[in-house]
Amino acid sequence: MGLQPLEFSDCYLDSPWFRERIRAHEAELEKTNKFIKELLKDGKNLIAATKNLSAAQRKFAHSLRDFKFEFIGDAETDDERCIDASLREFSNFLKNLEEQREILALSVTETLIKPLEKFRKEQLGAVKEEKKKFDKETEKNYSFLEKHLNLSARKKEPQLLEADYQVEQNRKHFYELSLEYVCKLQEIQERKKFECVEPVLSFFQGIFTFYHQGYELAKDFNHYKMALQINIQNTRNRFEGTRSEVEELMNKIRRNPQEHKRANQFTIEGYLYVQEKRPAPFGSSWVKHYCMYRKETKKFTMIPFEHRSGGKIGDGDVFLLTCCTKRNVDTIDRRFCFDIEAADRSVTPVTMQAFSEEDRKLWMEVLDGKETLDKIGFTILRKCISAVETRGINDQGLYRVVGVSSKVQRLLSLLIDAKTCSEIDLENSVDWEVKTITSAMKQYLRSLPEPLMTYELHREFIIPAKSGSPESRVNAIHFLVHKLPEKNKEMLDILVKHLANVADHAKKNLMTVANLGVVFGPTLMRPQEETVAAIMDLKFQNIVVEILIENHEKIFKTLPDATFPEPISMSISPPNVPPRQSRRQGQRNKRPLAVYNLCLELDDVDNHSPPREDTPTGSMDSLSSHSPTPAVSSSPPEPDKNHLILESGDLVDWAANHPSQIRSSMVSWLNTQSTTTPTSTTRTPAPSSFPFPTSATGSDRPAESVLNRRARAVYPCEAEHSSELSFQIGAVFEDVQLSREPGWLEGTLNGRRGLIPQNYVQFL
């Protein structure tokens, strides 16, 4: 068995066995170098020592006979076998040419000494220099890598990114250098066969020419000589042909090393740093191991190996893997870490560190790593909730007031550790403030690899918050909650039940449902990709949380309707266009008139709040249910706390004569509402089936104004009258205002102003 080939793909792994093969090739080249030096020494002795020529030639012949070229692979070609046998043929021939020393002395310098000296200096010497450079870069690369991996995860993000970039550049440089060194090694291994033998052949050719007595021997040797020349040329041609293919393969692997990994018995293999725990005073250390894993048998093998200590392979450890879990930086001061547990290992779990986040993902994917909720997560949540409800349910700004970062991190670290978690008594401990506990709980929920309401259902939760009636929103979210993974739903149930309790104490803690939605919207929901569209959807996350809190009992304690469709789609059928009514004063006076419509007719005032979502314009029954109707008099009616209604169409004449009094009454009422009615910090655009924006579930919070706003068409519409606008889905209207026609709006599209069906648009 000859030398094993050096595969370019092994340069990326840089395994211990790859290093052993490199050393074997280096030893072979060193042996070749020694052989050439010995051969040159013998040749010079042949020239200089004429008296000892016979003995020198015998020694030279002996050296030729005893040397054998090593070959790459498991078999030789006929040409290579002939080349290997040629040295023995030369040795036998030399025995008959000892007396031809004078002629040999004249030709040996040019035909033998110089070519071999050139090969040894230029080729073998170059390999030695490459070896020194490779060893130096090996030391530099792994020293730099270890220093990088020791870098604290608390460093600023730009520093970490810069460090990652430097490591990646250094690694690429080392990888390219390794490829070049391997290519050079194999090139010299192939080149030496003809570079060494060809000068020897020339030397013997000189012998044939100048030795008259060897003429007959040379004649007899001629056939073998010609065959050997053919063998050498064939070997040279084969080398030239394969070198281009080897270089092409090297370039392919350089561009994408992962696609050209050699198939073997292991599903994944590579280097990982393993945390080795020591007695308390000494802490722990991280030791580099070469790890191999077979997914079929779940057998995990790790062997300690350090490149900088001479490459000695340590004692390996083999065990059966049971599970793999990702470690977050909140629990360990190193990046790219994960834990593995073994069935037949006394010390478990074992913490390992990959070289990069991409490397960690590859390992966790093969090891079936999990990032799901576990028992410790439920313990953390229950402990924090119990402490908050016991100690601080009435604290003002609960969950909005944040704790000191260092204390929060310390508490979270203690809670995540199963050993210390059970020892912490948050309900009775004065060491931990309520704001620290609430911040730790929020930090834990934010640090989950996937948000509690999952990436997969994120978009589906957002859609019903944007459209539909309050009832349909609740039903849609009820349906989606029961699509969550069981553990996610269980934890969400625990949390929302607690938030509902917090909201019940809003008179003291000031944390209304809306405020809790603002706090927990981004915590429980977040998109998988950060985009501008995702940022624009942040307000709808808050609405979803509001719906969960306000409808906790229904959503979590009952099953959704089995006939309820999939989450609300934005592509529902367009509603009916409202009927057009006459603009004649007589007809309009026959219907009741709300004060905001009256103000529009009088002065086109566009800064008043529109009616609530559940209060249709012009409906006397629905409006009067909120408050008693004011009496008609010559003085302006006093504004009610909810709505100011004028019952009789005859009041139009009075209103036309008192526009300023109507306006002042309305403004007074709006000011009263703004100071007495809590408002949500998050607003939602008007859904397609409602004319005005409202709160998440149709609560009594005032809706925002729609006057002089922009709106987008959610359904196409063909105009039936010249005063109406035709449009397609997505059309954007400018300066949208309420129209005197019930159920219609006025807006501008492409420079033309006209009427728009109120329930065909969504406000921007």
Side-chain angles (χ1 to χ4, degrees):
M1 185 68 181
L3 295 172
Q4 295 186 16
L6 297 175
E7 296 293 342
F8 291 120
S9 59
D10 287 343
C11 295
Y12 184 77
L13 291 175
D14 199 15
S15 67
W17 299 274
F18 174 66
R19 289 289 178 148
E20 290 291 337
R21 291 194 291 272
I22 286 181
R23 283 194 288 273
H25 279 258
E26 290 171 347
E28 168 59 20
L29 290 180
E30 184 62 25
K31 186 172 67 172
T32 302
N33 184 51
K34 291 181 180 179
F35 159 71
I36 294 176
K37 291 176 68 175
E38 191 70 19
L39 198 62
L40 290 172
K41 180 180 178 182
D42 293 341
K44 292 176 181 179
N45 287 338
L46 184 64
I47 298 173
T50 56
K51 293 182 180 181
N52 299 321
L53 180 57
S54 180
Q57 283 187 336
R58 284 193 295 269
K59 189 177 183 301
F60 186 71
H62 186 270
S63 298
L64 292 176
R65 185 181 69 248
D66 291 344
F67 181 78
K68 178 177 175 58
F69 289 114
E70 292 291 348
F71 57 90
I72 298 175
D74 53 5
E76 289 182 292
T77 64
D78 292 339
D79 294 325
E80 290 174 332
R81 280 194 291 270
C82 291
I83 291 176
D84 290 340
S86 65
L87 298 181
R88 291 190 295 274
E89 292 294 330
F90 295 152
S91 177
N92 294 331
F93 186 82
L94 272 177
K95 294 178 181 179
N96 300 317
L97 293 177
E98 292 180 358
E99 296 180 357
Q100 309 303 320
R101 53 188 172 87
E102 293 180 357
I103 300 177
L104 177 63
L106 295 175
S107 61
V108 68
T109 301
E110 294 298 327
T111 59
L112 181 66
I113 302 298
K114 288 184 178 180
L116 290 180
E117 192 71 33
K118 181 180 179 181
F119 174 76
R120 189 179 70 85
K121 290 181 179 180
E122 295 181 1
Q123 301 298 328
L124 297 181
V127 171
K128 285 186 177 181
E129 291 298 321
E130 288 290 330
K131 181 181 184 304
K132 291 179 182 179
K133 187 177 179 181
F134 178 73
D135 291 340
K136 182 178 179 181
E137 286 298 321
T138 298
E139 175 72 18
K140 177 182 176 182
N141 178 66
Y142 287 101
S143 296
F144 190 80
L145 179 62
E146 185 165 336
K147 179 181 178 182
H148 173 70
L149 294 175
N150 287 326
L151 188 65
S152 172
R154 294 191 180 94
K155 293 286 188 179
K156 293 183 179 179
E157 186 66 18
Q159 293 178 335
L160 294 176
L161 292 176
E162 179 63 21
D164 290 346
Y165 175 79
Q166 292 178 357
V167 166
E168 186 62 26
Q169 293 300 314
N170 189 67
R171 186 182 300 170
K172 287 181 180 179
H173 177 69
F174 173 73
Y175 180 50
E176 292 182 0
L177 186 66
S178 178
L179 289 173
E180 294 172 359
Y181 181 57
V182 167
C183 183
K184 188 68 174 179
L185 279 177
Q186 299 196 112
E187 177 181 342
I188 297 301
Q189 291 285 15
E190 293 294 321
R191 181 187 289 274
K192 68 180 182 181
K193 295 183 178 181
F194 55 85
E195 291 283 2
C196 292
V197 175
E198 195 169 39
V200 177
L201 180 62
S202 299
F203 166 73
F204 281 94
Q205 184 64 39
I207 292 176
F208 302 151
T209 304
F210 292 99
Y211 280 61
H212 177 70
Q213 293 180 353
Y215 174 74
E216 292 297 332
L217 292 176
K219 188 175 181 180
D220 295 337
F221 195 79
N222 189 62
H223 177 73
Y224 178 77
K225 180 193 68 172
M226 297 300 296
L228 183 58
Q229 286 179 332
I230 294 174
N231 297 142
I232 292 174
Q233 188 60 42
N234 289 342
T235 304
R236 184 193 297 274
N237 293 339
R238 194 175 296 112
F239 166 77
E240 295 293 342
T242 57
R243 182 170 64 176
S244 60
E245 296 180 3
V246 168
E247 290 177 350
E248 182 179 355
L249 175 60
M250 180 182 70
N251 291 330
K252 286 182 179 179
I253 294 179
R254 176 184 293 165
R255 288 191 295 269
N256 197 342
Q258 291 293 341
E259 288 188 0
H260 295 82
K261 292 179 65 176
R262 288 195 305 150
N264 55 32
Q265 58 178 329
F266 299 109
T267 310
I268 190 172
E269 57 182 322
Y271 284 102
L272 293 171
Y273 277 83
V274 179
Q275 185 182 34
E276 295 186 353
K277 297 182 179 179
R278 298 178 179 177
F282 303 100
S284 61
S285 62
W286 294 82
V287 180
K288 187 171 60 180
H289 287 66
Y290 192 81
C291 301
M292 299 160 286
Y293 177 67
R294 294 188 65 181
K295 195 167 187 176
E296 298 80 7
T297 60
K298 291 189 175 295
K299 184 177 291 186
F300 195 98
T301 306
M302 56 183 191
I303 301 172
F305 183 80
E306 180 54 62
H307 293 79
R308 295 169 298 175
S309 61
K312 184 179 179 181
I313 301 177
D315 297 331
D317 190 6
V318 182
F319 52 84
L320 293 177
L321 181 75
T322 57
C323 70
C324 170
T325 309
K326 178 181 177 181
R327 288 288 296 271
N328 293 318
V329 295
D330 298 325
T331 64
I332 190 169
D333 192 23
R334 281 198 171 211
R335 300 184 297 163
F336 321 136
C337 292
F338 59 92
D339 287 344
I340 61 173
E341 296 186 12
D344 51 354
R345 185 179 173 91
S346 58
V347 180
T348 188
V350 180
T351 301
M352 297 186 169
Q353 183 181 25
F355 287 175
S356 65
E357 182 62 29
E358 181 181 357
D359 196 21
R360 175 169 68 175
K361 288 181 180 178
L362 289 175
W363 277 98
M364 291 195 64
E365 181 180 353
V366 174
L367 300 177
D368 297 324
K370 62 180 182 179
E371 302 179 357
T372 57
L373 303 171
D374 51 12
K375 292 182 180 179
I376 193 66
F378 283 94
T379 303
I380 292 172
L381 195 68
R382 289 191 175 100
K383 273 183 171 288
C384 292
I385 288 175
S386 177
V388 171
E389 294 189 345
T390 302
R391 299 171 51 193
I393 194 69
N394 293 321
D395 288 2
Q396 287 192 4
L398 186 65
Y399 286 109
R400 269 203 161 174
V401 179
V402 296
V404 178
S405 178
S406 59
K407 292 183 179 180
V408 173
Q409 291 294 341
R410 181 166 168 246
L411 175 58
L412 189 58
S413 299
L414 294 174
L415 290 173
I416 288 176
D417 192 334
K419 296 180 180 178
T420 57
C421 182
S422 58
E423 300 173 359
I424 298 179
D425 183 9
L426 295 178
E427 293 185 24
N428 302 310
S429 174
V430 296
D431 296 334
W432 305 105
E433 298 176 281
V434 173
K435 64 181 181 181
T436 303
I437 297 172
T438 57
S439 296
M441 187 175 81
K442 290 189 294 181
Q443 179 63 32
Y444 168 74
L445 293 172
R446 283 194 295 266
S447 66
L448 292 174
E450 186 177 35
L452 205 56
M453 298 175 73
T454 72
Y455 291 129
E456 181 181 358
L457 296 178
H458 177 82
R459 183 60 186 165
E460 295 185 43
F461 274 112
I462 292 295
I463 289 176
K466 293 182 175 181
S467 59
S469 65
E471 183 181 357
S472 66
R473 294 182 187 181
V474 175
N475 291 338
I477 292 176
H478 186 190
F479 179 81
L480 290 171
V481 165
H482 286 264
K483 289 178 66 176
L484 289 170
E486 195 60 35
K487 287 187 178 294
N488 293 55
K489 186 177 71 173
E490 181 183 353
M491 182 172 284
L492 187 62
D493 183 11
I494 296 170
L495 177 62
V496 173
K497 181 179 179 181
H498 165 65
L499 296 181
N501 188 22
V502 173
D504 289 341
H505 294 76
K507 289 185 178 179
K508 293 184 178 180
N509 60 34
L510 305 182
M511 292 304 292
T512 62
V513 172
N515 290 339
L516 291 172
V518 172
V519 173
F520 281 91
T523 300
L524 300 180
M525 298 178 66
R526 64 176 182 270
Q528 194 160 10
E529 295 182 1
E530 293 185 5
T531 62
V532 175
I535 295 174
M536 301 303 294
D537 284 344
L538 286 176
K539 50 184 172 290
F540 300 111
Q541 297 174 184
N542 307 346
I543 293 175
V544 173
V545 175
E546 291 179 36
I547 293 173
L548 290 174
I549 297 173
E550 292 178 343
N551 302 272
H552 169 261
E553 290 296 326
K554 175 182 178 179
I555 291 175
F556 291 95
K557 303 305 179 185
T558 64
L559 294 175
D561 188 355
T563 62
F564 190 77
E566 288 293 322
I568 295 174
S569 170
M570 297 300 289
S571 59
I572 56 179
S573 300
N576 295 326
V577 178
R580 296 283 304 281
Q581 296 190 16
S582 170
R583 294 173 178 259
R584 291 178 299 172
Q585 185 69 28
Q587 291 185 358
R588 190 177 60 211
N589 287 345
K590 293 180 181 179
R591 57 182 172 87
L593 186 67
V595 68
Y596 47 79
N597 279 345
L598 181 62
C599 292
L600 282 173
E601 291 199 17
L602 297 175
D603 294 307
D604 290 331
V605 179
D606 58 1
N607 293 322
H608 298 162
S609 297
R612 299 190 327 165
E613 189 175 86
D614 55 353
T615 308
T617 302
S619 173
M620 175 57 66
D621 293 336
S622 58
L623 288 172
S624 61
S625 64
H626 295 285
S627 62
T629 305
V632 180
S633 68
S634 59
S635 61
E638 292 297 324
D640 179 67
K641 64 178 181 179
N642 290 319
H643 289 283
L644 181 63
I645 303 298
L646 303 180
E647 277 194 307
S648 172
D650 296 335
L651 291 178
V652 172
D653 295 334
W654 175 88
N657 296 323
H658 301 82
S660 60
Q661 294 176 353
I662 288 290
R663 187 187 306 105
S664 63
S665 298
M666 187 61 178
V667 171
S668 175
W669 170 76
L670 288 174
N671 292 335
T672 303
Q673 286 293 85
S674 64
T675 58
T676 60
T677 305
T679 59
S680 170
T681 57
T682 305
R683 298 184 184 271
T684 172
S688 59
S689 58
F690 287 89
F692 309 114
T694 67
S695 66
T697 57
S699 64
D700 60 357
R701 282 172 290 169
E704 57 184 325
S705 175
V706 298
L707 302 180
N708 289 331
R709 294 183 57 187
R710 300 172 73 241
R712 178 184 289 112
V714 294
Y715 306 105
C717 182
E718 290 292 335
E720 296 182 359
H721 301 85
S722 59
S723 60
E724 298 173 5
L725 295 177
S726 296
F727 50 85
Q728 299 297 323
I729 294 177
V732 177
F733 304 94
E734 304 290 342
D735 191 23
V736 178
Q737 297 183 8
L738 291 171
S739 170
R740 293 183 176 86
E741 297 289 348
W744 291 78
L745 302 171
E746 290 185 7
T748 302
L749 177 65
N750 298 329
R752 181 173 177 266
R753 191 162 185 83
L755 295 177
I756 311 161
Q758 194 165 276
N759 51 1
Y760 270 53
V761 298
Q762 187 175 44
F763 287 95
L764 301 178

PDB file of all heavy atoms in Angstrom, residues 18 37 93 257 264 545:
ATOM      1  N   PHE A  18      -6.056  13.516   8.278  1.00  0.00           N
ATOM      2  CA  PHE A  18      -5.533  14.321   7.175  1.00  0.00           C
ATOM      3  C   PHE A  18      -4.127  14.813   7.500  1.00  0.00           C
ATOM      4  O   PHE A  18      -3.228  14.784   6.654  1.00  0.00           O
ATOM      5  CB  PHE A  18      -6.487  15.495   6.931  1.00  0.00           C
ATOM      6  CG  PHE A  18      -5.993  16.484   5.903  1.00  0.00           C
ATOM      7  CD1 PHE A  18      -5.849  16.120   4.578  1.00  0.00           C
ATOM      8  CD2 PHE A  18      -5.662  17.788   6.268  1.00  0.00           C
ATOM      9  CE1 PHE A  18      -5.411  17.037   3.638  1.00  0.00           C
ATOM     10  CE2 PHE A  18      -5.215  18.693   5.336  1.00  0.00           C
ATOM     11  CZ  PHE A  18      -5.089  18.304   4.019  1.00  0.00           C
ATOM     12  N   LYS A  37      20.377  13.909  -2.186  1.00  0.00           N
ATOM     13  CA  LYS A  37      21.634  14.419  -1.634  1.00  0.00           C
ATOM     14  C   LYS A  37      22.704  13.325  -1.599  1.00  0.00           C
ATOM     15  O   LYS A  37      23.876  13.568  -1.924  1.00  0.00           O
ATOM     16  CB  LYS A  37      21.385  14.955  -0.223  1.00  0.00           C
ATOM     17  CG  LYS A  37      20.550  16.227  -0.192  1.00  0.00           C
ATOM     18  CD  LYS A  37      20.245  16.671   1.211  1.00  0.00           C
ATOM     19  CE  LYS A  37      21.489  17.138   1.928  1.00  0.00           C
ATOM     20  NZ  LYS A  37      21.182  17.696   3.268  1.00  0.00           N
ATOM     21  N   PHE A  93      23.599  -2.534 -14.428  1.00  0.00           N
ATOM     22  CA  PHE A  93      24.425  -2.094 -15.545  1.00  0.00           C
ATOM     23  C   PHE A  93      25.736  -1.467 -15.060  1.00  0.00           C
ATOM     24  O   PHE A  93      26.789  -1.622 -15.694  1.00  0.00           O
ATOM     25  CB  PHE A  93      23.636  -1.084 -16.376  1.00  0.00           C
ATOM     26  CG  PHE A  93      24.327  -0.659 -17.620  1.00  0.00           C
ATOM     27  CD1 PHE A  93      24.280  -1.433 -18.762  1.00  0.00           C
ATOM     28  CD2 PHE A  93      25.041   0.539 -17.658  1.00  0.00           C
ATOM     29  CE1 PHE A  93      24.924  -1.025 -19.910  1.00  0.00           C
ATOM     30  CE2 PHE A  93      25.683   0.947 -18.803  1.00  0.00           C
ATOM     31  CZ  PHE A  93      25.622   0.165 -19.949  1.00  0.00           C
ATOM     32  N   PRO A 257     -16.780  24.541  -0.652  1.00  0.00           N
ATOM     33  CA  PRO A 257     -16.251  23.313  -0.034  1.00  0.00           C
ATOM     34  C   PRO A 257     -17.335  22.380   0.470  1.00  0.00           C
ATOM     35  O   PRO A 257     -17.138  21.170   0.487  1.00  0.00           O
ATOM     36  CB  PRO A 257     -15.399  23.861   1.123  1.00  0.00           C
ATOM     37  CG  PRO A 257     -15.897  25.232   1.376  1.00  0.00           C
ATOM     38  CD  PRO A 257     -16.384  25.740   0.075  1.00  0.00           C
ATOM     39  N   ASN A 264     -18.703   9.538   3.655  1.00  0.00           N
ATOM     40  CA  ASN A 264     -18.128   8.554   4.566  1.00  0.00           C
ATOM     41  C   ASN A 264     -19.217   8.056   5.496  1.00  0.00           C
ATOM     42  O   ASN A 264     -20.396   8.350   5.334  1.00  0.00           O
ATOM     43  CB  ASN A 264     -16.946   9.148   5.347  1.00  0.00           C
ATOM     44  CG  ASN A 264     -17.321  10.417   6.089  1.00  0.00           C
ATOM     45  OD1 ASN A 264     -18.450  10.565   6.536  1.00  0.00           O
ATOM     46  ND2 ASN A 264     -16.389  11.339   6.219  1.00  0.00           N
ATOM     47  N   VAL A 545     -52.979  40.980  21.062  1.00  0.00           N
ATOM     48  CA  VAL A 545     -52.825  40.743  22.498  1.00  0.00           C
ATOM     49  C   VAL A 545     -54.023  41.298  23.261  1.00  0.00           C
ATOM     50  O   VAL A 545     -54.506  40.677  24.215  1.00  0.00           O
ATOM     51  CB  VAL A 545     -51.505  41.364  23.001  1.00  0.00           C
ATOM     52  CG1 VAL A 545     -51.389  41.231  24.516  1.00  0.00           C
ATOM     53  CG2 VAL A 545     -50.312  40.689  22.335  1.00  0.00           C
TER      54      VAL A 545
END
